[in-house]
Structures are given as structure tokens and as C-alpha cells.
Amino acid sequence: MNSVAPQNLVDAKPLEFPIPAGVYAEQVVSVTHYTDNLFAFRITRPQSFRFRSGEFVMIGLPNAEKPVFRAYSIASPAWDEELEFFSIKVPDGPLTQHLQKIQPGDTVLLRQKSTGTLVLDALTPAKRLYMISTGTGIAPFASLLRDPETYEKFEEVILTHTCRDVAELTYGEELARAAAEDPLIGELTDGRFRHYSTTTREEHPRTGRITTLIENRRLFSDLGVAPFDAATDRVMICGSMDMIKDVKTLVEGFGFEEGSNNKPSHFVVERAFVG
Ligand code: A2P
């Protein structure tokens, strides 16, 4: 009679390449495809992996001796037992052409150190926090809006998310709904968190680039609040390079100064990483 190997050894897919030093090898827990271009996935979290909500980490796949790593904002909050990421699919992207095919049980590599500027520590205290995002730039805010510390620091939290199409807004809408329904987070966000989504290339109740909606003050009239004021408001910005440049110029026009970990101030920016 043949001996039977333990189940986990039978199921385990052998890694073709050794894990590089300073890297965690984690398992994919779930994958959700939103559009042809967007997907989210959750992986196991190493017990020793600590990060601040809003930070990013380098991610890769064990498919080469020197794997390609790309920076990904962590979309899950710091208290979550798993790690969540929201990604674009680039057909020829060195990482995402492979990453978009991952399945539960597959291995994802994670560098051990997280970092980033979209953190609460980089902002001075104020009443209202704006998180302004386009596309996958919503990811760090998916983390921050589920972190109780955000609501300890700010009375009101406003997330803006602009995408080309309605379907691309789905991740953010599900996120806002899930946060509202969560027994713990829902208590914090109740009446204090608002989600403001717009599209630029498809019909939707709200259309237009966020830069236009700031310039023509429509954002503020829709929300029923006064325009940006450095005395009461703080702003975090995440999207493409061009979007960041343009929103940054606008908020600077309102007299806001850029903050950092070492010198907290009125606003912070982080590029949404793609590849
Ligand atoms: P638009 O459709 O007018 O280009 P992308 O997928 O190219 O990153 O764009 C995501 C969203 O960000 C789109 O709705 C796009 O609007 C918008 N966007 C692109 N560039 C800018 C910018 N410089 N300022 C504000 N919004 C931008």
C-alpha cells in the first residue's frame, strides 16, 4: 500500500524560486474582479507585519529569481487580520499582467517594511478630513476610513472618488456600504463619514473631474460646507501624477501647506502606483 502524504503537502504548490531575504511569502485569501481593469485581493498578514493606515508596501510574485516588486497602498486598516489591495490590470505591466491571475491559495511576496506620507501623523489637528482620490488612488483611503484613529482625530471625514466609468466606482461604493454596516466602524462613521463619487466619461448623478468641482465650488455646495479653509480642513490626495499636481495646486491656492511625517501640516499627497 502506498503511503499517503499529509494533505497540506499534497496541496502545496512548490515555489519555483527561493523567497528573497527580507520578504514575507503570504497566501491569497480572496480575489474580486470589478472591471476588465480593476481587481481587489486579500492575503494573509504576517503576525510581525506592522503598518500605519494609509501606508504602502512593495508587492511581488515568486515567479522569477529576482521578482518584480511594485508599491501598493494597503487598503485594509491597521487592525485587520488580513491585508487588502486594490489594483489596476495593465496588459503588459511587469507585475500586474501576472498578479491579475492570482487565485486563493497562491503565494504573494511582501517586503517587510511599509512607508508613506498619507498618514494621520503628517496632518495637524482640524475638524474635517478630505480624502481626494481618482481610480485606484482610493486604496489608502479604504484603509484610513476604516481606522478608528481617523475619527478620533477628525469630526468629519469626506472621501471623494472620481473614475471614468460608473463600474469603476463599485469598489468604493461597496467599501462605504460595508463600513456603514460594520458594527464597530459603523458606529464611528455614522453621520461623520461621507462618500462623494463622480464620473468623467459616463452618465452618473454627479459628473466632472474633482478639480473642476473644486474650482466651481460645486463640491462644497453639494456637501453643504464652506470651501477649503486651513483653519478647519485637512486634505489627503491620491491619484495619477497629473491629478495630484492639479489638486495640489488648487489646495495651495486656498493657502494650504504640504505636511510630512517630520513636519505635519495641512495636506499630504501620494501617487497611486501602477505597473
Ligand atoms: P478624465 O476622464 O477627464 O481624464 P485615469 O484612469 O486616467 O487615471 O483617470 C481616473 C480619473 O481621474 C478620471 O475620471 C479622469 O478624468 C480623472 N483625472 C485624470 N487626470 C486628472 C487631473 N489632472 N485632474 C483631475 N482629475 C483627473
Side-chain angles (χ1 to χ4, degrees), residues 27-79:
Q27 259 56 61
V28 176
V29 176
S30 61
V31 185
T32 309
H33 293 271
Y34 287 93
T35 68
D36 289 348
N37 304 316
L38 295 172
F39 71 113
F41 58 98
R42 292 176 72 84
I43 65 172
T44 53
R45 175 176 174 175
Q47 282 218 320
S48 52
F49 181 72
R50 295 271 168 271
F51 68 99
R52 291 180 296 174
S53 293
E55 287 188 324
F56 67 84
V57 69
M58 304 302 288
I59 281 206
L61 287 171
N63 59 357
E65 191 144 7
K66 287 194 176 159
V68 173
F69 280 87
R70 287 286 179 271
Y72 270 85
S73 292
I74 302 166
S76 46
W79 52 260

Side-chain angles (χ1 to χ4, degrees), residues 134-135 162-164 200-201 209-211 240 242-243 246:
T134 54
T162 303
C163 293
R164 297 178 181 200
T200 49
R201 302 197 191 187
R209 286 187 170 193
I210 196 64
T211 40
S240 64
D242 285 348
M243 174 273 194
D246 292 349

Side-chain angles (χ1 to χ4, degrees), residues 9-23:
L9 288 185
V10 171
D11 282 347
K13 286 186 191 166
L15 293 171
E16 289 174 31
F17 297 96
I19 305 298
V23 168

Side-chain angles (χ1 to χ4, degrees), residues 52-57 71-74 114-119 132-134 136-141 144 235-241 243-245 248 258-259 261 267-273:
R52 291 180 296 174
S53 293
E55 287 188 324
F56 67 84
V57 69
Y72 270 85
S73 292
I74 302 166
S114 63
T115 185
T117 52
L118 293 182
V119 289
I132 298 184
S133 67
T134 54
T136 54
I138 193 174
F141 304 140
L144 282 157
V235 180
M236 290 179 155
I237 308 165
C238 192
S240 64
M241 297 261 266
M243 174 273 194
I244 286 174
K245 186 163 75 57
K248 179 177 149 95
E258 186 166 357
N261 277 296
F267 79 94
V268 282
V269 307
E270 189 112 87
R271 189 164 93 73
F273 306 92

